[in-house]
Amino acid sequence: MAQKPKVDPHVGRLGYLQALVTEFQETESRDAKEQVLANLANFAYDPGNYQYLRQLQVLDLFLDSLSEENETLVEFAMGGLCNLCADRTNKEYILQAGGLPLITSCLSSPNEETVLSAVTTLMYLSWPSPGRRPAPQPSPVVQCMLRFSLSASARLRNLAHIFLEDFCSPGQVAEARSRQAHSALGIPLPPTEAPQQP
């Protein structure tokens, strides 16, 4: 297990977060990287840390980690982004940095926690600004949510139903349902599916 970074208790929150970022960048240990990224994702849950995390470019660190081959790093990075994107400034940064395709690609992860965080993040990113309507969802995402709505996992199934009801127009859902194969390219069916109703 990785050791906690040695931080002077007087440096405060910013100093501690800086030490975590530095350790992540410098360590060669896979376990240490995973632990540090998990810690940063947990700190991302607290709005009091948002300013520091932006200052330390942790959003970029999370976005970059979505392309890692290590599924654990992807899970923690996706969880960190999910925690951060409820904030409007963070949401805009993620969108401007081209994070949407990276997040969408996580829908095909074999790790259910990663998929749940990706769906939730897409919901936050799709939430319209006051006085604006939600942007149309890409067809593969709608098709993917239809597939997830058949999942044996109650969490994934319920989240997909919410996404379809609240973030997709009835026309989008109807069009996706009409496609025989539901060919969401690159997004496989969940590992198990609930039986379909006749």
Side-chain angles (χ1 to χ4, degrees), residues 4-12 15-17 19-20:
K4 291 188 176 180
K6 295 171 180 57
V7 179
D8 181 337
H10 303 290
V11 299
Y16 184 75
L17 292 170
L20 286 174

Side-chain angles (χ1 to χ4, degrees), residues 18-92:
Q18 175 66 67
L20 286 174
V21 170
T22 301
E23 182 178 356
F24 182 85
Q25 293 168 337
E26 292 179 355
T27 187
E28 297 294 325
S29 165
R30 175 183 168 141
D31 289 342
K33 273 192 179 300
E34 290 173 359
Q35 183 176 358
V36 168
L37 204 61
N39 286 334
L40 288 170
N42 286 335
F43 280 112
Y45 191 73
D46 181 355
N49 293 324
Y50 289 170
Q51 176 185 347
Y52 302 127
L53 294 171
R54 285 193 295 266
Q55 183 178 338
L56 297 170
Q57 300 178 321
V58 172
L59 283 89
D60 290 317
L61 189 147
F62 286 152
L63 288 168
D64 290 344
S65 296
L66 294 182
S67 302
E68 291 284 339
E69 291 183 17
N70 179 335
E71 286 292 334
T72 303
L73 288 179
V74 174
E75 175 188 345
F76 295 147
M78 194 66 256
L81 288 170
C82 186
N83 288 339
L84 287 168
C85 69
D87 175 76
R88 184 179 296 166
T89 303
N90 292 338
K91 170 184 168 177
E92 290 304 320

Side-chain angles (χ1 to χ4, degrees), residues 2 20 38 40 46 49 56 83 95 109 111 133-134 144 151 155 174-175 184:
L20 286 174
L40 288 170
D46 181 355
N49 293 324
L56 297 170
N83 288 339
L95 292 171
S109 172
N111 181 323
R133 299 175 57 94
C144 180
S151 174
R155 295 188 308 155
E175 180 184 338

